[in-house]
Amino acid sequence: MHQTTPLRLPKGRLAGIQRVCMRVPLLDLKLQYAPLKAEILAAIEQVADSQHLVLGPQVDKLEADIAAYTGAGHAIGVSSGTDAQLVLLMALGIGPGDVVVTTPYTFFATAGCVQRLGARIVFADIDPLTYNLSPAALEEVLANTSGVKAIIPVHLYGCCADMEAICKIAATYGVPVLEDAAQALGCSHPMGAAGAIAEAGWYSFYPTKNLGAFGDAGMVTCKDASLASKIRSLRNHGMEPRYYHHSIGGNFRLDAIQAAVLNIKLPHLDGWGAGRRERAAFYRRAFARAGLDQVLTLPIEPWSDAGIGNHHIYNQFVVRAPRRDALRAYLSEAGIGSEIYYPLPLHLQECFSHLGYSTGDFPESERAAQETLALPIFPELLEEQQAYVVETVKKFYT
Ligand SMILES: *Cc1c(COP(=O)(O)O)cnc(C)c1O
């Protein structure tokens, strides 16, 4: 991943130069690491000294703390967010002949895991305001599809999907809901913490997620104790006791060093979430002041009425922007990082061509893929940098 440290110059006399030299990276993980460096290195050293390198007490602690933090009944540490979803679907016995419904506007893994197990993916379009699975589209798919074994809403960008409507529809059809909360640890819905509302869910600790490890790591959550023990067994080749295998799992184990880093970072997560929300609020005010809130479509906070403070934790701050690609090039020229999540919806990906979808099947997902842009957001982002982003966007449109 490309990262640069923002250039900091003294205020006052050099302010003009600072403007010329301003760099605003999409994300800068070095700024989060710096104040925690001594603590993190000490924790890593402790794991090194113990030589307990896979699973073990650091993983146990992380699992207990994530379960407590989210209110999930059970939390099982695994090797990545992708593996979390894969092992969960394996534990549920999802495979050939089964159908899984999800959104085509998400990171590839959400659908990739379903395909890897030989189940059939059926997509349902998104809501254009939240970019999350549309309850109406879901209902239509369920009414017309048999063999559906799971519904996977994604809390994209750190914004909770409409879980109340989705769970209600799912209950009508008797289908379990599995939450892809890879981008949404720390995000709350009136029904609970994202990833711990429905039957099961998962988080990713990939470094760019809101709680990032020093490599790959993930976590499965679920309500049912016997499902949890099945997942625990499958993450270690279905082995119980050693070298006796009841079922075919995989190596989805979590490394102790990753858990140790995450154990240091977890107590900071709420503070970082608040920092992201403050920066989102700053963008909102600044774009409105610049008269751009009608030009751009800013992210919405769908559960504000419920008085929930962190229903969107802005893993990404995504706007719809006219002439998106030209804006992105203009920002890049001005030293401002941005990203497109995601440029091609999954139903149009080459590897899913066998599903038989074509352009026009999911118009909201296709439109979002063409119109949206993620702007820099992270807890250490400076107000001057955000003001510069807004000013540069304004220049582009005038
Ligand atoms: C990151 C991500 C994943 C996969 O997580 P990894 O830890 O990278 O395997 C799955 N779904 C979504 C929506 C993601 O953003």
Side-chain angles (χ1 to χ4, degrees), residues 357-390:
Y357 290 116
S358 51
T359 304
D361 284 346
F362 303 103
E364 291 303 346
S365 296
E366 292 165 26
R367 202 161 67 82
Q370 281 162 15
E371 295 179 352
T372 60
L373 190 65
L375 299 177
I377 194 159
F378 51 90
E380 299 82 8
L381 189 63
L382 303 172
E383 284 196 356
E384 301 96 279
Q385 291 177 304
Q386 287 196 271
Y388 176 65
V389 171
V390 173

Side-chain angles (χ1 to χ4, degrees), residues 350-361:
E350 192 184 338
C351 69
F352 291 139
S353 60
H354 65 279
L355 295 175
Y357 290 116
S358 51
T359 304
D361 284 346

